[in-house]
Amino acid sequence: MSGVGFGRADFRVFELEDFSARMQQIAQRIRPRLVRLGAELAPELSRRLHMEFFPHVAKHMRRSVNPPAETWAAWGPSAGGYKRYGYLALCISGAGLHARTVVKSEADDRAAMALRLRAKSADLERTFRGTKVARYDRWESRRLPRPDAVQRELFESLADALDKKTGGIDVGFGWPISDAVRLDRAELLDAFAELEPLYRILRSVS
């Protein structure tokens, strides 16, 4: 299976000091590749995870401290949009590439997701068997967040976050630039497959 297709020059785009220049380069260099990857990987994800996925690409780049930020391709259960649902995302930033499962604060059914997470927390701990994942909900984009071995407390903490009025969750795996430029699609799909037990609990279609 072929590579993901990002080179070192693509990651340097996120370090441009001028925000307008950065946005222009992202539109010209990064977004077309995310659009292509989104469309090409959707059927692969559907086959691998046994769920239907529809591809989307971020319309806006997430801003944080200047200059770092990120943008992404997302896969969710609806062709009409992705932010109302739990979704999978391939994110690119100045720190590298990231495979994540995300629930935004505007998602529907967050309370029901929290209940399912608490009910399944012990099962999820056994399924992940010490796999290390990182939380991105308070990530500042400059370097990859530290991954920690998955324990039951992680899922209870994620459930608590979903219960908050403006709460969401964002967890997954990251590859620094040195590894991201060599990342192939099979390895990326393996990462999403590892996140699948968590994502399946968060997935809902209203």
Side-chain angles (χ1 to χ4, degrees):
M1 187 173 284
S2 62
V4 175
F6 291 108
R8 290 182 181 274
D10 297 312
F11 298 99
R12 287 196 290 270
V13 165
F14 293 90
E15 307 218 2
L16 292 172
E17 292 288 343
D18 183 80
F19 184 72
S20 296
R22 198 182 337 146
M23 290 296 291
Q24 182 180 32
Q25 286 295 302
I26 286 172
Q28 293 175 354
R29 294 181 64 103
I30 308 299
R31 197 173 192 278
R33 298 182 197 183
L34 289 175
V35 170
R36 184 174 66 251
L37 280 169
E40 292 173 355
L41 290 177
E44 295 292 334
L45 283 168
S46 296
R47 284 192 289 270
R48 184 75 179 270
L49 275 60
H50 307 291
M51 294 178 257
E52 188 171 20
F53 285 96
F54 296 90
H56 305 273
V57 175
K59 294 181 180 179
H60 304 288
M61 182 175 62
R62 187 179 75 83
R63 299 183 68 170
S64 57
V65 291
N66 192 53
E70 64 177 1
T71 190
W72 57 89
W75 297 273
S78 172
Y82 64 99
K83 292 185 179 181
R84 291 178 53 206
Y85 312 96
Y87 61 89
L88 299 175
L90 168 64
C91 308
I92 177 171
S93 72
L97 290 172
H98 323 264
R100 286 141 61 178
T101 185
V102 183
V103 178
K104 303 296 283 186
S105 60
E106 57 263 48
D108 299 336
D109 303 323
R110 287 187 297 117
M113 293 179 193
L115 284 172
R116 292 197 296 269
L117 265 180
R118 290 192 178 92
K120 295 291 186 180
S121 60
D123 292 340
L124 285 168
E125 182 181 39
R126 287 191 292 270
T127 299
F128 277 87
R129 293 188 299 275
T131 299
K132 291 187 175 182
V133 300
R135 293 188 67 165
Y136 286 81
D137 45 348
R138 291 181 291 274
W139 183 48
E140 46 78 36
S141 304
R142 291 187 179 275
R143 58 183 59 86
L144 294 177
R146 187 187 71 184
D148 291 311
V150 170
Q151 296 180 331
R152 183 173 183 174
E153 289 76 14
L154 168 67
F155 305 111
E156 293 172 349
S157 177
L158 295 177
D160 290 342
L162 289 171
D163 278 334
K164 295 178 181 178
K165 186 175 181 180
T166 58
I169 65 173
D170 190 341
V171 297
F173 308 106
W175 296 269
I177 294 171
S178 58
D179 295 329
V181 295
R182 298 192 299 268
L183 184 69
D184 63 38
R185 298 188 186 194
E187 189 175 1
L188 177 62
L189 289 169
D190 285 345
F192 284 128
E194 287 197 71
L195 291 170
E196 180 270 336
L198 172 61
Y199 172 72
R200 188 174 291 275
I201 288 171
L202 299 172
R203 180 179 172 113
S204 62
V205 181
S206 299

